[in-house]
Amino acid sequence: MSGEISKLIGERGEAIAKYIFEEIFGYENNLSGNEIMCLNGEEHKRSAAKKERTTHGIDGLIGNISQLSNRVLDIGYISVKKTEKIGYNKTDLRKHISDISQGLECFNKSKVLSDFKRRYSNIRSSEVLGILVWISDKDDIYDSIQNYIKDISITSSLTNTIIILDNRRLSFFIETVLQDKKIYKKEKVKFVYHNSGLNPSIQSYYGEKLPFFYLYSNIIAVRIEDNDNVFLKIYYSEEFQENVFRGMMDLAIDYDKLDSLDKIIFSFRNYQKSKHERMIDEILIEYNSYIKTSKIEILGHIQTLKNL
């Protein structure tokens, strides 16, 4: 019975992750439930119930041409974990990170990876990112596992980059990008791609797929079409800070060099009009010579009495 319950919880977690990657991040049909052969079963057996591991499961695999580096293929190796009766804890964190890092070690030498890269042409190199999606029903939707990471020691060597999408991070995407896709329609909201100077062949400065660097960035920019108007909306995942707002203003100026935007919207998780409005007005006066501050609007991710 416990095995059936665990399987059901796992399936619910994968369904949530599938929705997030498709509806928010723009990656269609990414969850496949594939397996790869374990190439180091003896060393990896510690996370396989005391017996030598033979395979690693892949809950999802996504790819996208990098928007930061020219002719680089970004590949996401996805592992999904969901808990319903227990919350975030160090023991499970250590286990989940070890599991995905061991899977990545074998994935990087697998036929699945080489076959996946063949789908893309004119690529000079690839970079693999491990994406651990860990959802906890018991914890608050704004809870983060960052408090546990500093004390965690991992037994297997971490030779790959791993990003963890927890309740807090996923809630940020849901309250911002997903909300606006529902308001303006999915096809009208596009992610803005930065010009890094290393991507001269970039064909478009916005698109439907979330660039991988946005997975761990506190600032996300989107382009929104609303009838004949074009908006730039920049979300910040943490609390309002004066220096961060100045940086977001500089970013907006860079995007609006031709004065082509009808509105620029800044969205903060904890924006309170009575608390932040005076500081914002003072900063906007400083920027008045560089951008039309009359088209700037400040919002909270979610409308409340405090930010109307």
Side-chain angles (χ1 to χ4, degrees):
M1 179 64 71
S2 61
E4 293 179 2
I5 294 175
S6 297
K7 182 175 183 293
L8 180 61
I9 293 173
E11 290 173 349
R12 285 199 286 260
E14 290 179 12
I16 294 172
K18 186 176 191 298
Y19 181 86
I20 289 169
F21 275 89
E22 291 185 356
E23 299 300 320
I24 302 179
F25 298 164
Y27 292 90
E28 298 293 336
N29 302 319
N30 68 93
L31 296 179
S32 57
N34 287 332
E35 287 189 341
I36 58 172
M37 295 296 297
C38 179
L39 305 177
N40 200 354
E42 180 64 27
E43 181 178 330
H44 292 173
K45 71 178 182 180
R46 286 189 294 271
S47 59
K50 298 182 181 180
K51 62 181 180 180
E52 186 171 322
R53 183 187 285 273
T54 58
T55 61
H56 295 280
I58 305 178
D59 293 324
L61 192 61
I62 58 175
N64 191 26
I65 306 301
S66 175
Q67 302 300 332
L68 290 182
S69 301
N70 191 31
R71 295 172 57 202
V72 173
L73 174 63
D74 288 331
I75 300 172
Y77 175 104
I78 303 169
S79 176
V80 181
K81 307 294 181 184
K82 187 175 190 293
T83 59
E84 297 185 352
K85 293 185 178 181
I86 57 175
Y88 292 132
N89 60 79
K90 292 181 181 180
T91 300
D92 284 341
L93 176 58
R94 183 183 293 108
K95 180 175 65 176
H96 295 334
I97 293 180
S98 293
D99 182 65
I100 191 172
S101 65
Q102 290 173 358
L104 282 165
E105 288 175 7
C106 296
F107 174 71
N108 278 335
K109 303 173 184 176
S110 70
K111 186 175 183 296
V112 173
L113 174 58
S114 58
D115 288 345
F116 188 79
K117 290 194 290 188
R118 289 193 189 97
R119 303 180 187 181
Y120 299 84
S121 59
N122 199 28
I123 298 299
R124 62 177 174 82
S125 64
S126 61
E127 295 181 1
V128 179
L129 175 70
I131 305 173
L132 172 58
V133 181
W134 190 4
I135 305 163
S136 171
D137 280 354
K138 187 171 183 178
D139 291 283
D140 185 272
I141 62 171
Y142 297 115
D143 278 353
S144 171
I145 61 172
Q146 291 298 319
N147 295 332
Y148 301 110
I149 289 179
K150 59 182 179 181
D151 298 324
I152 294 295
S153 59
I154 307 302
T155 54
S156 60
S157 61
L158 284 175
T159 57
N160 301 274
T161 302
I162 297 174
I163 180 74
I164 304 175
L165 302 180
D166 56 16
N167 282 12
R168 185 181 183 89
R169 189 64 185 170
L170 294 173
S171 293
F172 169 54
F173 287 111
I174 290 169
E175 292 177 354
T176 56
V177 180
L178 180 61
Q179 175 180 248
D180 282 333
K181 284 190 173 188
K182 289 187 173 182
I183 293 173
Y184 298 102
K185 295 184 180 180
K186 184 166 66 172
E187 65 274 14
K188 299 295 185 180
V189 179
K190 305 290 179 63
F191 296 103
V192 174
Y193 303 150
H194 303 310
N195 186 350
S196 66
L198 299 176
N199 51 353
S201 65
I202 188 170
Q203 298 299 310
S204 177
Y205 290 101
Y206 54 89
E208 295 179 356
K209 288 186 176 181
L210 175 126
F212 278 26
F213 63 87
Y214 274 158
L215 289 172
Y216 46 82
S217 173
N218 286 332
I219 295 176
I220 294 176
V222 298
R223 179 184 188 273
I224 300 174
E225 295 180 21
D226 184 26
N227 296 320
D228 294 329
N229 296 319
V230 176
F231 304 157
L232 172 69
K233 190 166 185 179
I234 304 178
Y235 317 107
Y236 183 60
S237 64
E238 301 303 321
E239 295 184 356
F240 179 90
Q241 298 177 47
E242 180 179 349
N243 63 323
V244 172
F245 180 59
R246 290 180 184 275
M248 293 167 73
M249 285 292 297
D250 292 335
L251 190 63
I253 291 171
D254 187 53
Y255 287 143
D256 195 32
K257 287 179 179 178
L258 299 179
D259 193 24
S260 58
L261 299 169
D262 297 290
K263 185 186 293 186
I264 299 172
I265 305 170
F266 298 100
S267 179
F268 297 91
R269 181 168 59 87
N270 71 323
Y271 173 63
Q272 294 183 29
K273 194 166 186 177
S274 60
K275 181 178 180 181
H276 301 127
E277 187 176 36
R278 183 174 179 179
M279 181 193 304
I280 289 172
D281 287 343
E282 290 175 354
I283 294 173
L284 291 180
I285 291 174
E286 297 175 20
Y287 280 87
N288 196 42
S289 300
Y290 307 99
I291 194 170
K292 290 181 180 177
T293 55
S294 59
K295 63 183 178 182
I296 290 176
E297 184 176 355
I298 315 296
L299 300 173
H301 297 337
I302 298 175
Q303 289 288 274
T304 70
L305 285 172
K306 293 184 178 182
N307 59 38
L308 289 177

